[in-house]
Amino acid sequence: MVSRHTEKKTPLAWYIAFGLASSMAALLLLSLAYQVWNGVGVWGNNQPVAWGWPIVNFVFWVGIGHAGTLISAILFLFRQKWRTSINRAAEAMTLFAVMCALIFPTFHVGRVWVIYWTLPIPNQMEMWPQFKSPLLWDVFAVSSYFIVSLVFWYVGLIPDLATIRDRSSTWLRRKVTGFFSLGWTGANRHWRNYEKAYLLLAGLATPLVLSVHSVVSFDFAVSVLPGWHTTIFPPYFVAGAIFSGFAMVVTLMVIARKVYGLENVITLDVLEKMNIIILVTGTIVGFAYITEFFMAWYSQVEYEQYAFINRAFGPYAWAYWIMMTCNLISPQLFWFKKLRRSIPVMFALSIVVNIGMWFERFVITITSLHRDFLPSSWGYFEPTLTDVTTFIGSFGLFFTLFLLFLRFVPMVAMAEVKGVMPEADPHYYDEGDGHTAESKVPYIQPAQEDNGRNEAGETRGGK
Amino acid sequence: MPQIFPKKANVLPILSLGGALLGGVALIFLVWYYFSPEFLVVGYQPDQPVAYNHEFHAGQLGMDCRYCHNWVENSAHANVPPTQTCMNCHNQIKTQSPQLLKVRESWATDTPIQWVKVHHLPDYAHFSHASHVNNGVGCETCHGRIDKMEVVYQAEPLSMGWCLECHRQPELYLRPNEEVTTMGYVHPENFVEINLARIQEEGIQPPTNCSACHY
């Protein structure tokens, strides 16, 4: 069912969507070329607000990416079987979101051509990067995050690519998928190593998820600015990342399951569980908002207090209240089971959440910068057209890559889904264990071919 | 199911591993050397408008460097001599030489000779000749054996790393002030101790911070 989507003739809608997305991606290229040629001054950044949309978008995209690794790694450690139907798409989403994110730290610098100076390479200047800067940690965090996510995603893909290879009818397709599946035969020994490697990668990726967005939060929390210098940022940013990332997964999955007819794989139960996580992390984020406000009052620091009064009632109050409405209030609707299981409601809410999370980064970055210690250096930030086109273009890049993924790669981890299906349960024949209540006829296995996959199911279920 | 890849595909993993390894090593060394000023700028020897010969003037005639580059002890910038300096001698010597035609033209028309600069630091790196020459850095250390160069070329990379090597260990390079313009100076046996004592005594502290050169 899943591999069919990579095999059948490309639907017209895909071409239309791809055309749209890639023209948006072209807009990104144009904006970046324009910006590199003319300088960063084409953005709306000014002297007090030197970090504008580029950083906002960077944090936004990195945050989006975190849900993918959370679904594939953390939920794997917790043996959550419902993750299997969404993890492939979520990991792909991570990769593409991290690519979009990496654009911004690369291009928001004034001189992109010397950005390799941020890498610790022995050179003729005998100079090294400053390892005390969280912006350098960003380089390490995000690049290793991208590499680990890519490896994790690819390792997960190998058995599925082998499936596609075995089903392929054309010579080229067999060669290409045969090359990328690296000679996978689904042997017992393959599966045992595979499962162990997958578990190790999950164990490695989990601290990475938590640390990467913490490092991103250090960009702010390490500074001295009122509104930035807060110890709550690392966990609060991570919670926000999961919140926005899950919302993005819901947005994409609601469309994908409809368009690709995956309602039986990505079930309503799966979506409901994601909505519950959105509710939980949304509440954590809301708690953090209130904590920040409390701490501002409790600190008795007038700058800190003013920073928060300025957020709620200053020139950017509109952004603040959009953020509060979208992030604090709207996820609370998921307390109602009826709303939680309603596709239109969750689709709308997931978009609202991402709008809210974009504004969260906007509020944190800009309201703290535009009015800080010295009233003589107060300013106002207005984005320019290039700011907007770069952001829109990053969505174009994201959807271009995502559409390519939907077209050429199995979007559901087939091997894993098979592993959690009731048929893969070795106790399936037993009566009265709850699995086979409705049927006493033993399921007849297609004996040889499925051995490998059953092994997977067993090891996964048995650990 | 038929085999997708022939048996000889089994060498692919070994080939790709070896290739990646070799390629990586080669790339590192290529970039490390061929993209460094040591390769890119050392030996830079442009054609000059007048075929001025250092080997003849400084080497054979034994002129002191400071006769022409006379601000080197007092100024940040070691000057290229004006046409006046050339004409001090050449209004009497070789007055008809075709090689000196441009010098005489320059003298007659009051237009400077367009020398080509060989040692060119970017202007965000400020260098002072005086502070080096007066603290015992010889001409030879940075410019090579000028007295043996018929046409001047760049002998050292002038990269930041090269500068810093001396600023971190000046005792390996310093010489007595009266030997600064000597070409082919030979260090005495115990020159490191002498230099260390001198550095101690005169309080020579070569800066290694950014503001020293990059302001």
Side-chain angles (χ1 to χ4, degrees):
Chain A
M1 186 170 70
V2 174
S3 33
R4 202 181 61 225
H5 296 303
T6 68
E7 286 159 3
K8 66 177 184 197
K9 225 171 135 265
T10 314
L12 183 67
W14 187 89
Y15 281 116
I16 296 169
F18 187 75
L20 261 174
S22 51
S23 42
M24 273 158 74
L27 184 67
L28 173 75
L29 283 182
L30 277 177
S31 320
L32 290 178
Y34 176 72
Q35 177 252 316
V36 171
W37 188 256
N38 290 294
V40 282
V42 299
W43 285 328
N45 302 3
N46 50 36
Q47 212 15 263
V49 188
W51 278 4
W53 277 33
I55 295 293
V56 175
N57 300 337
F58 164 64
V59 184
F60 173 76
W61 278 117
V62 176
I64 295 284
H66 277 58
T69 324
L70 185 99
I71 287 168
S72 51
I74 298 184
L75 295 183
F76 182 75
L77 294 184
F78 284 111
R79 305 268 171 256
Q80 295 298 311
K81 287 181 180 166
W82 59 271
R83 69 179 260 291
T84 51
S85 62
I86 44 167
N87 76 333
R88 173 70 41 74
E91 279 171 62
M93 190 196 74
T94 296
L95 288 176
F96 307 144
V98 173
M99 286 183 197
C100 292
L102 278 170
I103 288 170
F104 292 102
T106 310
F107 283 95
H108 89 119
V109 296
R111 299 176 190 192
V112 64
W113 49 91
V114 289
I115 202 159
Y116 69 94
W117 286 353
T118 58
L119 303 174
I121 303 169
N123 56 47
Q124 46 85 17
M125 301 179 286
E126 295 187 7
M127 291 302 283
W128 299 91
Q130 169 60 278
F131 289 94
K132 292 178 193 167
S133 164
L135 299 178
L136 181 67
W137 309 340
D138 269 351
V139 174
F140 299 138
V142 182
S143 53
S144 51
Y145 183 56
F146 179 72
I147 292 166
V148 171
S149 305
L150 183 68
V151 171
F152 198 31
W153 183 69
Y154 181 58
V155 167
L157 260 175
I158 289 173
D160 283 5
L161 287 173
T163 308
I164 304 255
R165 171 198 65 193
D166 295 347
R167 289 170 55 98
S168 56
S169 50
T170 61
W171 176 85
L172 177 72
R173 192 173 166 81
R174 188 153 56 236
K175 286 276 182 196
V176 170
T177 50
F179 178 79
F180 282 106
S181 58
L182 304 176
W184 180 263
T185 59
N188 187 354
R189 188 193 286 247
H190 279 184
W191 275 114
R192 289 165 81 87
N193 288 333
Y194 173 87
E195 290 293 327
K196 210 160 270 174
Y198 202 79
L199 179 68
L200 281 175
L201 276 173
L204 287 171
T206 300
L208 203 59
V209 181
L210 302 181
S211 64
V212 167
H213 216 66
S214 297
V215 165
V216 171
S217 82
F218 288 154
D219 295 346
F220 304 95
V222 165
S223 80
V224 295
L225 216 61
W228 281 10
H229 186 69
T230 323
T231 51
I232 201 176
F233 268 17
Y236 149 48
F237 267 52
V238 172
I242 296 165
F243 181 51
S244 69
F246 265 72
M248 194 67 161
V249 178
V250 169
T251 316
L252 295 173
M253 288 302 101
V254 164
I255 301 172
R257 75 196 279 273
K258 184 88 193 145
V259 173
Y260 287 94
L262 292 170
E263 278 98 341
N264 291 330
V265 178
I266 304 165
T267 58
L268 209 51
D269 286 338
V270 171
L271 293 173
E272 186 189 2
K273 289 199 172 83
M274 300 221 283
N275 291 337
I276 291 173
I277 293 189
I278 291 177
L279 170 61
V280 170
T281 48
T283 312
I284 295 174
V285 168
F287 174 71
Y289 292 161
I290 295 162
T291 308
E292 273 191 317
F293 243 85
F294 171 76
M295 288 310 293
W297 165 76
Y298 190 64
S299 70
Q300 293 293 309
V301 178
E302 56 181 328
Y303 299 108
E304 190 76 17
Q305 288 174 343
Y306 178 74
F308 281 87
I309 291 170
N310 181 46
R311 275 186 195 179
F313 306 108
Y316 286 111
W318 52 274
Y320 179 79
W321 293 110
I322 290 176
M323 166 188 107
M324 283 306 242
T325 320
C326 293
N327 293 352
L328 187 68
I329 298 164
S330 72
Q332 304 304 324
L333 293 176
F334 280 145
W335 284 106
F336 303 103
K337 189 161 185 136
K338 213 171 163 191
L339 298 178
R340 202 156 71 207
R341 291 180 71 88
S342 149
I343 300 271
V345 169
M346 69 174 87
F347 185 69
L349 268 186
S350 67
I351 289 172
V352 164
V353 163
N354 265 321
I355 295 172
M357 283 310 291
W358 190 87
F359 273 102
E360 181 199 293
R361 280 72 177 242
F362 179 85
V363 165
I364 290 173
T365 312
I366 281 144
T367 61
S368 313
L369 280 168
H370 89 115
R371 287 189 178 177
D372 61 353
F373 293 111
L374 289 177
S376 59
S377 60
W378 283 5
Y380 190 79
F381 168 82
E382 272 174 88
T384 59
L385 187 65
T386 321
D387 274 310
V388 180
T389 53
T390 314
F391 183 47
I392 292 175
S394 68
F395 273 97
L397 177 67
F398 178 79
F399 283 113
T400 305
L401 295 168
F402 199 77
L403 284 165
L404 285 172
F405 155 77
L406 287 181
R407 178 73 192 87
F408 292 108
V409 179
M411 73 188 83
V412 173
M414 293 183 273
E416 296 210 30
V417 170
K418 280 178 191 155
V420 299
M421 292 229 283
E423 291 89 337
D425 188 342
H427 302 296
Y428 186 67
Y429 298 104
D430 293 355
E431 286 177 46
D433 69 342
H435 284 294
T436 57
E438 75 284 345
S439 160
K440 286 183 181 156
V441 185
Y443 176 76
I444 298 161
Q445 302 252 353
Q448 298 307 313
E449 281 175 24
D450 265 351
N451 268 352
R453 281 149 205 159
N454 279 348
E455 184 61 40
E458 239 168 276
T459 21
R460 193 177 290 118
K463 264 182 208 153
Chain B
M1 204 182 74
Q3 293 291 324
I4 301 172
F5 291 100
K7 190 157 189 185
K8 62 175 188 264
N10 279 345
V11 298
L12 273 180
I14 298 164
L15 271 184
S16 51
L17 199 72
L21 216 66
L22 275 177
V25 170
L27 185 76
I28 286 170
F29 280 95
L30 286 182
V31 172
W32 206 44
Y33 180 67
Y34 287 112
F35 281 1
S36 73
E38 229 164 299
F39 174 76
L40 291 177
V41 300
V42 170
Y44 172 59
Q45 190 178 32
D47 287 330
Q48 299 290 352
V50 177
Y52 181 81
N53 186 341
H54 274 87
E55 197 272 332
F56 177 71
H57 290 89
Q60 294 177 33
L61 298 183
M63 291 165 69
D64 189 86
C65 307
R66 287 162 293 191
Y67 178 74
C68 299
H69 304 288
N70 54 341
W71 280 98
V72 72
E73 287 174 309
N74 313 312
S75 155
H77 179 68
N79 58 311
V80 170
T83 309
Q84 164 82 69
T85 312
C86 306
M87 292 307 284
N88 286 349
C89 299
H90 285 293
N91 65 356
Q92 313 240 354
I93 298 164
K94 298 234 180 197
T95 47
Q96 299 307 313
S97 165
Q99 279 188 309
L100 290 165
L101 183 67
K102 279 199 181 159
V103 180
R104 291 192 297 269
E105 264 175 21
S106 157
W107 185 239
T109 59
D110 262 1
T111 44
I113 300 170
Q114 301 286 320
W115 298 104
V116 182
K117 196 171 182 185
V118 182
H119 297 82
H120 188 70
L121 279 188
D123 53 9
Y124 51 78
H126 300 266
F127 178 82
S128 164
H129 273 88
S131 60
H132 288 83
V133 168
N134 293 325
N135 283 305
V137 183
C139 307
E140 190 189 343
T141 314
C142 307
H143 295 290
R145 287 299 297 270
I146 290 277
D147 64 324
K148 297 207 165 157
M149 292 182 196
E150 284 189 22
V151 180
V152 172
Y153 58 85
Q154 188 171 331
E156 298 289 344
L158 305 191
S159 67
M160 185 165 134
W162 173 84
C163 293
L164 282 172
E165 269 162 35
C166 184
H167 275 227
R168 284 170 181 151
Q169 283 187 302
E171 66 274 12
L172 302 182
Y173 305 95
L174 295 189
R175 54 175 82 181
N177 274 9
E178 52 276 12
E179 302 282 0
V180 159
T181 59
T182 310
M183 289 289 152
Y185 172 78
V186 184
H187 284 295
E189 285 277 294
N190 56 342
F191 75 101
V192 176
E193 289 88 71
I194 298 175
N195 278 341
L196 282 173
R198 175 186 177 188
I199 287 165
Q200 182 78 16
E201 193 185 326
E202 296 180 19
I204 298 171
Q205 287 178 318
T208 49
N209 53 347
C210 311
S211 53
C213 311
H214 298 292
Y215 295 179

